[in-house]
């Protein structure tokens, strides 16, 4: 998936519908929150083990929420002029330094 | 950005650190919530107009949060065996039907 | 409203339905996230000015989401053995020190 | 805890600091999201069992986040003119109808 192409499609989609007036970064951030809330509702009463083995229907529904999360995140980055690829690559480097592999079995949250 | 390649890198990163035991979809969903919370904190007291014109420092910090959101979302999809590209493409088609361009100036939230 | 009484009612409500097995603090936290997501969806496309002047229907719906947020938060505190009143009073004192009134017109987020 | 008294204290606290211009319901909702994100970070890598047995330090930190969540929720309700007590009582009645106790062992999420 070429994210820049998705950004362009989303931008065109919004422009055609005259949605740019709604799509301030502040509003898009809130829309993202709403989608993450819907995603969370799928997992809230599941055990961790159950969450690793979703049935087909649930998996499809979760896939739709994940798509919504990605769409709003990519759209938000586009409106802010943030280069998503560069940001992700940079963050992965930061994480590699922060959690060196040599400290095997690093415990998260410590 | 090739999302499948990012997925592989994230999977390797987690495996090397023995993090798979923590990375249940339920837990990854919660980690995503935490990152979206941090992203939201950047925008909470800004007006919409201010959110459209972030300064360089704020923009860099927001870019880092957006990267975190994407990383956890992509990782979550990978652990669930969800094809992100396909999910996004399908959702964009659903949205195109739901909000036809011919209904110009569709009001969101109605 | 006596929060301790609400806690008791919610505990009884859950016990009668055999929900305690679902009501781990981790799960209740996720349920809270879901409700906050639903609350956010009401505000995402509104301007700040519009959010200050909700119509009657929207206000009723928002009131219901606020109730859900409070119910899960109070239930979470109960399951953790956290004294809500004491926690709120302590936090208000911390905030009073952190943001002294003498620094008039403190700008939030600085 | 008398929620109306807390509302008055929070209103006075904000007024003294000239914060009402920031405290639109939209912004308060986002501030609530940020606090719920911080709360979630405490639980994201814990098992459900671990979340039921927090250590003293973690419990104190979680209590502070819960207080923040309540403070912003109560403040939001106040700015909207929503009677929190009435909203909670009404919602508990709705839930009692929605999940009758006679349907013992109701499975959540179904």
């Amino acid at each position: 998936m070429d994210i820049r192409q998705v950004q362009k499609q989303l931008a065109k989609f919004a422009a055609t519908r005259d949605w740019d007036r709604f799509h301030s970064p502040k509003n898009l951030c809130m829309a993202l929150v709403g989608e993450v809330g819907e995603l969370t509702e799928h997992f809230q009463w599941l055990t961790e083990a159950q969450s690793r083995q979703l049935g087909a229907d649930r998996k499809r529904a979760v896939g739709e929420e994940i798509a919504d999360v990605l769409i709003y995140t990519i759209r938000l980055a586009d409106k802010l002029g943030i280069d998503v690829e560069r940001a992700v690559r940079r963050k992965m480097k930061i994480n590699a330094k922060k959690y060196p592999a040599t400290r095997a079995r690093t415990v998260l949250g410590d």
Side-chain angles (χ1 to χ4, degrees), chain A:
Chain A
M1 185 166 70
D2 183 343
I3 289 190
R4 286 197 190 91
Q5 199 188 324
V6 174
Q7 283 188 326
K8 276 183 199 165
Q9 287 181 321
L10 294 173
K12 196 180 160 189
F13 191 88
T16 315
R17 283 151 189 81
D18 197 23
W19 281 354
D20 276 295
R21 59 199 164 131
F22 295 117
H23 282 192
S24 65
K26 184 181 179 87
N27 288 6
L28 289 167
C29 176
M30 296 186 87
L32 172 60
V33 168
E35 299 301 340
V36 170
E38 290 178 27
L39 180 65
T40 304
E41 288 178 357
H42 284 287
F43 292 112
Q44 64 194 13
W45 307 123
L46 301 186
T47 63
E48 284 186 66
Q50 288 169 335
S51 81
R52 290 183 194 266
Q53 299 183 311
L54 300 186
D57 286 354
R58 178 80 79 174
K59 190 172 153 184
R60 199 173 303 113
V62 165
E64 204 166 312
E65 300 303 344
I66 285 178
D68 282 329
V69 168
L70 285 171
I71 284 169
Y72 277 122
T73 307
I74 290 170
R75 178 80 178 131
L76 173 61
D78 187 39
K79 294 300 283 188
L80 289 168
I82 286 172
D83 185 326
V84 171
E85 296 193 27
R86 211 175 139 202
V88 169
R89 275 201 216 97
R90 190 193 291 147
K91 197 58 205 280
M92 286 173 76
K93 277 185 198 166
I94 292 171
N95 287 344
K97 279 192 189 172
K98 194 173 169 187
Y99 305 106
T102 47
R103 281 180 60 211
R105 299 184 168 268
T106 309
V107 176
L108 283 172
D110 277 11

